């Protein structure tokens, strides 16, 4: 069985290919059962959580991502999240590959954002603003650079010192201008694309600050209690999601305005299935503000794992 490390997984998933693989999987579809969610006791500390996310294409490939979340690991100087992906032959059942779950998740998440931006961001978008300085931030930059001619990236984070260092580190790696935001308010008014990957429980992106034609990509705030966008953005924007089922029940940027009555499920213009299948055209006006919310789907993991396996084997 093939075993792919973090570095091998990264090298096997170049963004142009990965974005196309996700698009094809959303077009063709796959079987995607509801993910399994199990808490397990750990004596003397908070419970851990085991997540099992299966998906398969009949006669093609099958896979399951296993993720363990252990909050108490912070006391052990260990990551709170550990994950692996097991890919199988869906015809014979043969186990084909074990793929690093963290790198697969980070790259497929960023690729889904870029796939949405392919339909929703203006074709002349050049300035990207990223909120957050975690693992997803450099991936979101690279993914958006694969589908738009990004010339300038601004980074915002809660710690100015950490954000400045993060921007300096990236500046030496990418052939574009990268800077730390001195003011989130000012940065929001300048950006063509705003991509947020935070765990915020209070809105960070104010809709009245965005310029006409901006595209907002909301990746963080994956629980109903979290939120990155305010009500002004919800009212101003055309709303798109990765999957309706996931976003209507999980992400606070959709769940909270639904609960308050600000929007209804019918206000979601389209999901990635509809965009990739040509059932909705995406952006239709240069002046429209578009918003994309993602919470992730096992379909994306399967597409990425299949691509990684095929790239290494062939």
């Amino acid at each position: 069985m093939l075993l792919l490390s973090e570095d091998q997984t990264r090298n096997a998933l170049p963004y142009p290919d990965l974005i196309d693989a996700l698009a094809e999987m959303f077009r063709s579809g796959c079987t995607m059962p509801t993910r399994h969610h199990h808490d397990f006791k750990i004596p003397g500390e908070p419970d851990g959580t085991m997540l099992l996310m299966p998906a398969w294409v009949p006669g093609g490939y099958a896979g399951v991502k296993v993720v363990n979340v252990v909050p108490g690991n912070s006391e052990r100087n260990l990551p709170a999240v550990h994950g692996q992906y097991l890919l199988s032959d869906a015809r014979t059942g043969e186990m084909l590959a074990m793929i690093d779950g963290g790198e697969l998740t980070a790259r497929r998440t960023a690729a889904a954002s870029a796939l949405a931006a392919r339909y929703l961001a203006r074709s002349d978008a050049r300035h990207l603003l990223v909120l957050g300085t975690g693992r997803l931030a450099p991936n979101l930059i690279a993914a958006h650079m694969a589908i738009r001619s990004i010339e300038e990236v601004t980074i915002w984070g809660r710690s100015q010192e950490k954000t400045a260092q993060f921007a300096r580190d990236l500046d030496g790696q990418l052939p574009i201008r990268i800077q730390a935001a001195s003011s989130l308010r000012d940065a929001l008014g300048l950006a063509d694309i705003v991509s947020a990957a935070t765990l915020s429980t209070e809105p960070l992106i104010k809709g009245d600050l965005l310029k006409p034609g901006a595209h907002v990509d909301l990746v963080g705030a994956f629980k109903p209690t979290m939120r990155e966008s305010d009500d002004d953005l919800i009212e101003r924007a055309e709303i798109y999601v990765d999957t309706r089922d996931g976003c209507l029940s999980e992400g606070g940027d959709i769940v909270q305005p639904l609960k308050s009555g600000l929007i209804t499920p019918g206000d979601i213009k389209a999901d990635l299935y509809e965009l990739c299948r040509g059932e909705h055209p995406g952006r239709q006006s240069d002046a429209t503000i578009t918003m994309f919310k993602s919470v992730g789907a096992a379909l994306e993991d399967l597409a990425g794992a299949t691509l990684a396996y095929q790239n290494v084997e062939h």
Side-chain angles (χ1 to χ4, degrees):
M1 184 171 70
L2 187 67
L3 298 175
L4 295 186
S5 68
E6 182 177 318
D7 288 343
Q8 290 171 321
T9 301
R10 182 183 305 116
N11 293 335
L13 295 173
Y15 275 112
D17 292 349
L18 181 55
I19 294 165
D20 286 344
L22 261 62
E24 179 54 37
M25 188 67 85
F26 273 107
R27 273 193 292 270
S28 59
C30 70
T31 303
M32 189 170 57
T34 302
R35 72 181 184 182
H36 301 252
H37 181 288
H38 304 283
D39 291 336
F40 57 89
K41 297 289 183 183
I42 303 177
E45 61 185 81
D47 290 353
T49 303
M50 180 184 293
L51 301 170
L52 307 174
M53 288 158 272
W56 59 87
V57 174
Y61 292 94
V64 61
K65 186 166 71 175
V66 180
V67 176
N68 293 326
V69 183
V70 180
N73 274 353
S74 59
E75 300 297 320
R76 290 182 279 267
N77 293 317
L78 290 172
V81 180
H82 293 275
Q84 293 290 339
Y85 196 92
L86 181 62
L87 185 71
S88 304
D89 185 316
R91 186 178 296 277
T92 67
E94 179 188 2
M95 307 291 186
L96 299 174
M98 183 77 78
I99 298 164
D100 183 81
E103 189 64 22
L104 172 64
T105 302
R107 293 186 78 80
R108 65 81 156 152
T109 300
S113 289
L115 175 59
R118 181 188 279 175
Y119 294 98
L120 301 175
R122 283 176 50 141
S123 60
D124 61 353
R126 298 291 181 269
H127 186 178
L128 171 66
L129 168 63
V130 175
L131 281 66
T133 57
R135 181 175 191 169
L136 270 174
N139 284 285
L140 287 165
I141 294 169
H144 280 100
M145 287 178 65
I147 55 96
R148 288 292 183 269
S149 299
I150 302 297
E151 298 172 352
E152 182 175 0
V153 174
T154 302
I155 310 285
W156 179 87
R158 294 190 186 278
S159 166
Q160 289 188 340
E161 182 179 347
K162 182 178 179 181
T163 303
Q165 184 59 55
F166 185 77
R168 285 193 294 270
D169 292 344
L170 282 178
D171 193 42
Q173 300 173 23
L174 298 172
I176 56 175
R177 184 185 178 199
I178 298 179
Q179 61 194 355
S182 56
S183 161
L184 178 57
R185 183 183 184 89
D186 292 343
L188 285 169
L190 296 172
D192 300 315
I193 300 174
V194 180
S195 186
T198 75
L199 301 178
S200 182
T201 56
E202 298 294 330
L204 298 170
I205 303 171
K206 313 294 186 182
D208 64 350
L209 298 178
L210 298 170
K211 67 181 184 180
H215 171 60
V216 178
D217 168 47
L218 303 176
V219 181
F222 58 88
K223 294 181 178 179
T225 54
M226 298 174 175
R227 194 164 177 188
E228 295 176 315
S229 61
D230 70 353
D231 283 354
D232 285 339
L233 175 55
I234 298 297
E235 289 185 307
R236 252 187 114 182
E238 286 190 353
I239 301 171
Y240 299 83
V241 297
D242 58 350
T243 66
R244 292 178 187 269
D245 287 348
C247 287
L248 288 171
S249 62
E250 295 182 31
D253 291 287
I254 302 296
V255 172
Q256 291 184 32
L258 280 172
K259 188 175 181 179
S260 71
L262 186 65
I263 60 171
T264 69
D267 289 316
I268 296 174
K269 299 293 184 182
D271 59 18
L272 280 178
Y273 291 106
E274 293 161 311
L275 290 170
C276 292
R277 292 170 180 173
E279 296 169 6
H280 191 286
R283 173 179 290 274
Q284 299 173 72
S285 163
D286 282 347
T288 298
I289 290 177
T290 53
M291 185 190 107
F292 173 71
K293 175 60 187 167
S294 66
V295 294
L299 172 154
E300 299 163 9
D301 292 312
L302 179 61
T306 301
L307 176 65
Y309 174 74
Q310 292 175 338
N311 278 345
V312 172
E313 283 293 285
H314 304 295

